[in-house]
Amino acid sequence: MTPLSFRWSISLGVAAAAVSPAMAADGAVVWQRWEHRLTSSVDYANPCADVALRVTYDGPGGQRLSTLGFWDGNRTFRLRCAFPEPGTWRWTTECSDGANTGLHGQSGAVIGNPQSY
């Protein structure tokens, strides 16, 4: 293990410890696609037109990203992101249908790991 990769291991270990046990963190590699599945608590006749799902990611150094989730059949919606920096990225959802408990107000954390070359 090189000194640089050792330092990253320690940094990521500290970041992982900062995530509360109730909010288990997913893992991702920086600049590679991360995906998370949510299940809608409501059936929609036309999910693409009837509901919108916004996701906000708060990352290291005060960075903030905002994307849209998308419908993937039945009651499945997906979140996707490629994180630009290593560290902990906390995400929160906002659904246009605030009564949809499966999509609105969901949250979690992702540990962005540096790319290995």
Side-chain angles (χ1 to χ4, degrees):
M1 181 178 280
T2 67
L4 180 59
S5 62
F6 179 71
R7 272 187 262 144
W8 275 112
S9 297
I10 290 173
S11 297
L12 291 173
V14 170
V19 176
S20 73
M23 186 187 339
D26 291 334
V29 176
V30 171
W31 289 119
Q32 291 186 17
R33 183 177 69 191
W34 166 84
E35 183 173 285
H36 184 76
R37 179 179 161 245
L38 295 175
T39 303
S40 173
S41 63
V42 178
D43 282 315
Y44 297 101
N46 184 354
C48 292
D50 295 344
V51 67
L53 179 61
R54 179 180 308 280
V55 189
T56 302
Y57 301 91
D58 291 308
Q63 292 184 75
R64 178 169 273 191
L65 304 174
S66 184
T67 64
L68 296 175
F70 62 93
W71 177 64
D72 194 30
N74 300 316
R75 287 185 168 195
T76 300
F77 284 74
R78 300 209 182 261
L79 315 178
R80 283 188 183 158
C81 191
F83 302 102
E85 297 287 334
T88 301
W89 290 84
R90 298 181 190 284
W91 57 268
T92 306
T93 63
E94 181 182 353
C95 181
S96 59
D97 178 0
N100 189 327
T101 59
L103 302 180
H104 187 71
Q106 296 296 308
S107 62
V110 182
I111 304 296
N113 297 304
Q115 288 182 327
S116 59
Y117 296 100

